[in-house]
Amino acid sequence: MNYRHGYHAGNFADVLKHVALVELVRLLTAKGKKLFVLDTHAGAGGYDLSDGFATRTGEAELGVLRLETAARAGMPAAVARYLAAVSAYDRKFGSSGPRLRHYPGSPRLIRAALQPGDRLVACELHPQDGLALKREFAGDRAVEIRQADGYHALKALLPPPERRGLVLIDPPFEVPDEFERLLRGLRQGLRRFATGCYAIWYPIKDDAAKDFIAGLTDLKLVTLELNLGPTIESGKLSACGLAVVNPPWKFEEAMREALPWIASHLGPDVRPTIRVWPATSPVPAPSA
């Protein structure tokens, strides 16, 4: 996988991650208490789907661009909220065509859902993306941008003064030991901030993902996974997941409604799975 997220903006992995992210922030801000959000691998903030990196891969065609054409009747509320947030970001650029052109990264989706008094710290190590991220949020006092290793931020910024928080960990997975680094970082964060909600994105290529999840099953955990099936082009990522530790009330319910619907609209071979620890039965793929 290429570290620059612009190549993958709006793809099926972003759909999974961002539908869940929008719902998590909504649920965590519902009580009206101040919320701290840490995005450890934030990317550039926003992406142009009609130019540059995104056009080289066309991955958004099998992701958000497919969902935006779906009929709104019967659409799960969590999906509708996600698509509304994406459309709102696109409209900021004056887009008026029939297709989405500008796609918000995770920090933009988080920021749009925050309430007054909430706070976001977004970390990005890549110098070009870090600079783009700073430009994206210039003058926004609710957002702090750090060009830093997101794993180090787990130690430096937790626990937050707000005592309520969401941590999104979305690593590039360019190094062979990324799963080990991820597990160490997560455990370190939990030691410092045990009551925080953590959302961790991971690719599924081999047994490493299964072993990673097995190392988390002592926690209160929901995992969401999408598998595109055998028709995906060779060499491209075809399956991924999001592990949510300490999910808020009603999050699992919302995802059990949203994930099968998303899978059925992304393609006939796409398989969704939701698992909860303590273990329950996985959600089957939707019927044809």
Side-chain angles (χ1 to χ4, degrees):
M1 295 180 66
N2 190 297
Y3 175 77
R4 304 295 295 279
H5 190 71
Y7 288 104
H8 314 294
N11 70 355
F12 82 102
D14 264 0
V15 169
L16 172 67
K17 175 175 56 184
H18 289 158
V19 168
L21 179 63
V22 169
E23 193 66 11
L24 284 170
V25 179
R26 185 187 74 86
L27 291 170
L28 289 168
T29 57
K31 292 185 177 181
K33 297 179 180 179
K34 290 183 180 179
L35 179 70
F36 168 76
V37 184
L38 171 61
D39 190 341
T40 62
H41 299 76
Y47 307 93
D48 188 343
L49 300 182
S50 65
D51 191 22
F53 296 147
T55 60
R56 299 185 196 179
T57 62
E59 291 187 13
E61 295 288 346
L62 295 177
V64 67
L65 294 180
R66 184 163 290 186
L67 288 192
E68 74 164 345
T69 62
R72 293 304 192 263
M75 180 181 290
V79 181
R81 283 189 282 267
Y82 156 72
L83 290 176
V86 169
S87 296
Y89 180 78
D90 191 40
R91 288 196 298 272
K92 290 182 178 181
F93 296 87
S95 300
S96 58
R99 283 168 63 85
L100 183 76
R101 285 194 57 188
H102 299 90
Y103 186 82
S106 54
R108 263 298 167 200
L109 290 169
I110 292 166
R111 180 63 184 98
L114 294 183
Q115 303 298 314
D118 294 340
R119 186 166 61 100
L120 166 64
V121 176
C123 300
E124 177 51 52
L125 189 58
H126 193 286
Q128 289 175 276
D129 285 353
L131 182 60
L133 193 61
K134 289 179 180 179
R135 289 197 297 263
E136 185 82 15
F137 290 99
D140 191 335
R141 299 180 66 180
V143 181
E144 178 185 349
I145 305 302
R146 296 192 176 195
Q147 189 172 337
D149 186 329
Y151 289 123
H152 293 166
L154 291 169
K155 181 178 180 180
L157 298 176
L158 300 180
E162 293 87 349
R163 311 305 298 182
R164 297 183 69 254
L166 168 64
V167 179
L168 173 64
I169 310 176
D170 179 18
F173 283 92
E174 282 199 323
V175 296
D177 66 340
E178 192 74 76
F179 273 114
E180 289 80 3
R181 296 181 68 204
L182 179 54
L183 187 57
R184 287 196 302 270
L186 176 60
R187 288 293 184 181
Q188 183 180 65
L190 284 164
R191 284 195 296 271
R192 301 178 67 85
F193 186 37
T195 59
C197 177
Y198 296 78
I200 308 102
W201 182 86
Y202 56 94
I204 302 173
K205 303 179 190 177
D206 50 36
D207 287 341
K210 185 186 299 183
D211 294 341
F212 168 69
I213 295 301
L216 302 180
T217 54
D218 61 312
L219 304 170
K220 184 179 179 183
L221 180 69
V222 173
T223 61
L224 318 171
E225 295 183 353
L226 281 179
N227 188 322
L228 296 184
T231 59
I232 192 70
E233 182 181 336
S234 177
K236 288 192 174 184
L237 183 70
S238 62
C240 71
L242 189 77
V244 181
V245 179
N246 297 330
W249 184 54
K250 292 194 174 182
F251 173 74
E252 178 195 343
E253 178 183 332
M255 293 302 101
R256 287 195 181 277
E257 180 185 21
L259 201 60
W261 187 96
I262 290 169
S264 68
H265 284 76
L266 290 183
D269 298 319
V270 181
R271 300 191 304 274
T273 304
I274 299 176
R275 290 188 174 89
V276 177
W277 279 265
T280 61
S281 300
V283 171
S287 57

